[in-house]
Amino acid sequence: MADLLDVQGLETQFKTRDGVVHAVNGVDFSLKEGETLGIVGESGCGKSVTMLSLMRLIPTPPGTIAAGRAIFQGHDLLKLPMEEMQHIRGARISMVFQDPMTSFNPVLTIGRQLTEPLELHMGMSGSQARGRAIELMQMVGIPQAEERLNDYPHQFSGGMRQRVMIAMALACTPQILIADEPTTALDVTIQAQIIELVKHLRDEIGMAVIWITHDLGIIAGLAERVMVMYAGYIIEAAPVKELYKNPLHPYTIGLMGSLPRLDSKDRHRLTSIDGLPPVMYEKAKGCPFAPRCAYVFERCWKENPPLMRAGPEHTVACWWDVKEGRAHE
């Protein structure tokens, strides 16, 4: 199956008073039609900035996309005129943002915010857009959908607002849905409902999904493939089952060790990753994880490892073979 999205060498930087922040450093990945890709890593690792760069939503200045390409249906998203990009955003690639409390215009009704993209991208009349908005509200489980179109965002709970955000993202039946930690601000019950809703809609519409999170537990039941990011780099990528069974990067092993396990009979203390995330004013000369790594050796300080093949669909950026207990050749 051909790639729906192919990203190569993406670099994004931000100019600040203290220097240039290298937020994304040469990211490569692809996405197939109907696939769900998980992107995981701790706060500040570049997950959200990568996706905002693809959507051309980086504030300029201070941000700039310094290099790379993102091919979607034969067009480079990073080179398209902004007018063309505006027709792709929302219509063919949609994004659900992290905070449902601040993602809406507080002075417009939910109905207006739902119908606007339908009129803009789909050419619907006002009445057609309103009918479609009611269908979307019902699709995501909003009760009394027709009456609630006249309500304002503050009249919805956090979970309901996130459902409406998903309805807005799906309004034009996009080919790619980017979900940027959409359940972070919600309690675990609502979180589970939102994840099940996205899975159901993904299967019904046939869209591809990119799910950004710091929670490996969410990815386990949602994605087919997962990328782990650290300091603006992809450091490991594999099918989900392979990654959980056979994590190879010390950072991924640390993330896995911090998850409580329900399938283990032995009780053991959760592990933590020592140290702090790197300050990203300079690109790392060596491995960016070296200061926090238990397996660090001399080469790690001098050379930043590329992604190396460790299996049929498994790549890892590490000079140390954790399974064999020795350095790579």
Side-chain angles (χ1 to χ4, degrees), residues 215-271:
D215 188 344
L216 275 164
I218 288 176
I219 291 297
L222 182 66
E224 288 102 54
R225 194 159 53 93
V226 60
M227 300 189 321
V228 183
M229 288 191 70
Y230 185 81
Y233 296 91
I234 296 171
I235 57 165
E236 189 164 5
V240 168
K241 289 182 180 179
E242 167 68 12
L243 189 87
Y244 279 68
K245 181 181 177 182
N246 188 31
L248 296 178
H249 196 284
Y251 177 66
T252 311
I253 293 169
L255 289 179
M256 299 293 291
S258 66
L259 279 177
R261 297 292 295 267
L262 299 178
D263 60 347
S264 176
K265 295 179 181 178
D266 301 323
R267 297 177 64 183
H268 57 87
R269 185 179 295 274
L270 299 178
T271 60

Side-chain angles (χ1 to χ4, degrees), residues 71-179:
I71 306 301
F72 173 70
Q73 295 185 327
H75 299 286
D76 187 349
L77 297 177
L78 307 183
K79 300 288 193 299
L80 281 178
M82 192 54 72
E83 185 178 345
E84 289 184 41
M85 191 64 206
Q86 287 171 349
H87 287 293
I88 288 177
R89 282 199 300 254
R92 290 190 272 171
I93 305 176
S94 288
M95 192 163 182
V96 179
F97 295 96
Q98 185 169 354
D99 187 358
M101 306 303 173
T102 58
S103 297
F104 291 98
N105 186 328
V107 299
L108 295 179
T109 64
I110 289 295
R112 182 61 195 137
Q113 295 183 63
L114 267 172
T115 56
E116 186 176 30
L118 293 167
E119 294 171 10
L120 179 66
H121 294 301
M122 307 291 282
M124 291 185 179
S125 66
S127 60
Q128 288 173 327
R130 184 174 176 84
R132 174 63 174 156
I134 293 169
E135 287 178 17
L136 289 164
M137 294 270 277
Q138 291 170 339
M139 186 190 299
V140 297
I142 304 290
Q144 299 174 312
E146 187 170 0
E147 292 81 3
R148 302 229 62 184
L149 284 181
N150 299 317
D151 288 346
Y152 289 86
H154 72 270
Q155 294 174 275
F156 287 75
S157 67
M160 286 297 179
R161 260 183 278 204
Q162 198 58 287
R163 286 173 181 268
V164 177
M165 274 296 297
I166 292 169
M168 288 178 66
L170 298 178
C172 302
T173 318
Q175 290 155 288
I176 300 174
L177 174 68
I178 300 170

Side-chain angles (χ1 to χ4, degrees), residues 27 182 184 212 236 248 291 299:
V27 163
T184 298
I212 303 168
E236 189 164 5
L248 296 178
R299 189 179 187 182

